[in-house]
Amino acid sequence: QIEELNVVRPLSLPERAVALALAVSLDSDYFSRRGGWGLPFLIATE
């Protein structure tokens, strides 16, 4: 069984920004090594 996740406190704005930056970085790194597209919606809007 999987234990429930208990949130102690919500993330602050700087913590959210770091989490988002890490997620984008990991996504980009993963897909660049696999030969696919990282985040196509970001590429299309730039």
Side-chain angles (χ1 to χ4, degrees):
Q1 289 184 345
I2 299 174
E3 295 181 25
E4 285 191 33
L5 179 64
N6 294 323
V7 177
V8 177
R9 64 176 179 83
L11 295 178
S12 66
L13 187 58
E15 291 169 333
R16 289 182 198 181
V18 169
L20 179 62
L22 287 171
V24 169
S25 175
L26 287 171
D27 181 68
S28 176
D29 186 45
Y30 176 78
F31 284 106
S32 69
R33 291 174 191 246
R34 313 261 296 150
W37 292 91
L39 290 172
F41 64 91
L42 287 179
I43 295 168
T45 59
E46 290 183 18

